[in-house]
Amino acid sequence: KRRSFTALSFLIIIVSFAGIYFLKSDTYTLGYFPKTHPVVKDNGTIEKYWGAYMPLELTVTPSQNLSLNSPLIVKASIAFADSLKRIKGIGNIVGFHSFYEAFLQAQYKDKAIKLLNSKGTLKQADKSFSRYYPELRSQFISSDQRTGSITISGKMLSANQLSSKMDSIMLFSDKTIGKIAEVKMAGYQPMYANIVNYVTRSQISSFLLSLVFIFLLIWMYVRSFKFALIAIIPNICPVIMMFGIMGWLGIHIDTATASIASIVLGIAIDDTIHYIYHYKKLKEEGNSAEQARIIT
């Protein structure tokens, strides 16, 4: 029933292509576990009683004519931290500026806001930090005193959500502190957010490259462009079907699923090589194309 089978094959491929449209690339670490898993439950408990806890690190490097204890930098950092509270899912924000703010509030109380403009008072605060809290200070201010860090606590997010959140944070940094200091993302979270994009890009490019090499090898072996082109089709179909099913079922391409295309292609090309070898051998022995196909 060649016609029925061909029609069914085309239908499956068309439906699979439609499913690829819904395919998304994202990784959510907690999504690997069921909702009843202790890790997921503990995450919910921590966020319920202590709030958002995943750290996102930023570094602040002032312009050449400014230092971390300059009134402009401290005030801009405080304004930056306050503006971030508008973003949903942001928890506590602690940074080098927090020390100056806390020192002034403890020493001068109601006058603290005005004294943020005083270079001398901020230098005095810096000396107090160095003297009484050297270890704590070193976590937020570099040894050369040129770079300060800000730690933002947030909720556990997927890679795409984290990328969006980081874009929002950098937008606020441009409006508040970006003109007088260079603000950069640091730590593990930005790397985690970029992993999925890299994995997806590399898998797509390596998959396409593999198809090209497989086509060339088959062409060299059978010495027929038409035969090589026909042989490559059944190697593409399983991958299209797999991505289509993933799209329809809402399964994302992530660090765990991205390698499946390579595995599927590896299995399919094995069968293709076996088929071509036996078919070619039977044809050379004098069998007709139909006989060679049926025996193979």
Side-chain angles (χ1 to χ4, degrees):
K1 299 180 181 179
R2 191 181 298 176
R3 289 182 180 179
S4 299
F5 184 79
T6 303
L8 181 62
S9 298
F10 272 109
L11 180 63
I12 291 170
I13 294 299
I14 290 166
V15 171
S16 298
F17 264 118
I20 291 172
Y21 176 79
F22 300 104
L23 191 63
K24 292 180 181 179
S25 169
D26 199 6
T27 292
Y28 181 52
T29 309
L30 287 181
Y32 292 127
F33 302 107
K35 292 181 179 179
T36 54
H37 196 279
V39 172
V40 180
K41 286 183 175 180
D42 289 346
N43 173 71
T45 302
I46 293 169
E47 289 189 345
K48 181 180 177 181
Y49 292 105
W50 286 276
Y53 65 92
M54 286 300 294
L56 180 61
E57 306 288 340
L58 285 87
T59 59
V60 178
T61 306
S63 303
Q64 289 296 327
N65 59 332
L66 296 170
S67 60
L68 287 173
N69 57 19
S70 299
L72 276 174
I73 295 294
V74 175
K75 283 163 58 180
S77 298
I78 293 170
F80 172 51
D82 288 340
S83 67
L84 292 181
K85 292 174 183 177
R86 301 176 201 168
I87 302 174
K88 189 178 179 181
I90 295 290
N92 293 326
I93 302 166
V94 181
F96 70 95
H97 64 281
S98 305
F99 293 113
Y100 300 108
E101 198 173 16
F103 176 85
L104 294 177
Q105 286 176 351
Q107 294 290 323
Y108 304 103
K109 296 181 181 178
D110 295 338
K111 297 179 181 179
I113 297 173
K114 291 182 180 179
L115 288 172
L116 283 172
N117 295 308
S118 171
K119 289 183 180 180
T121 307
L122 291 175
K123 284 183 179 180
Q124 183 186 348
D126 211 11
K127 287 178 182 178
S128 297
F129 301 150
S130 300
R131 183 177 177 183
Y132 297 110
Y133 307 104
E135 291 182 4
L136 188 59
R137 183 182 186 275
S138 65
Q139 292 181 33
F140 291 91
I141 298 175
S142 62
S143 56
D144 61 2
Q145 300 186 18
R146 279 294 304 155
T147 303
S149 73
I150 296 174
T151 301
I152 303 166
S153 297
K155 287 189 174 184
M156 181 77 84
L157 301 170
S158 71
N160 285 351
Q161 289 172 329
L162 184 58
S163 295
S164 178
K165 193 77 71 181
M166 289 192 297
D167 290 341
S168 298
I169 289 169
M170 293 309 294
L171 191 64
F172 279 107
S173 77
D174 292 340
K175 291 179 180 178
T176 52
I177 194 173
K179 293 179 181 179
I180 55 174
E182 184 182 17
V183 180
K184 287 183 178 180
M185 290 289 175
Y188 170 75
Q189 297 284 53
M191 181 183 71
Y192 164 75
N194 290 325
I195 282 173
V196 178
N197 292 330
Y198 172 74
V199 167
T200 307
R201 286 197 308 270
S202 63
Q203 282 296 317
I204 291 170
S205 59
S206 63
F207 174 71
L208 293 174
L209 192 63
S210 297
L211 285 177
V212 171
F213 275 111
I214 288 167
F215 171 77
L216 291 173
L217 287 169
I218 293 172
W219 188 10
M220 287 169 64
Y221 178 63
V222 299
R223 297 178 183 179
S224 168
F225 181 85
K226 184 181 177 181
F227 199 178
L229 197 62
I230 292 169
I232 208 71
I233 292 171
N235 291 281
I236 300 171
C237 290
V239 178
I240 293 170
M241 285 175 63
M242 182 201 69
F243 282 138
I245 291 167
M246 286 175 66
W248 284 117
L249 296 180
I251 301 170
H252 293 168
I253 295 179
D254 57 22
T255 50
T257 59
S259 60
I260 297 174
S262 302
I263 296 167
V264 171
L265 181 63
I267 294 167
I269 194 62
D270 263 3
D271 293 334
T272 303
I273 291 167
H274 281 294
Y275 190 95
I276 290 171
Y277 171 77
H278 288 289
Y279 180 84
K280 189 170 182 285
K281 189 178 179 183
L282 287 164
K283 282 276 287 179
E284 288 172 355
E285 290 175 358
N287 291 283
S288 67
E290 188 179 1
Q291 286 175 325
R293 186 173 70 249
I294 292 168
I295 296 168
T296 300

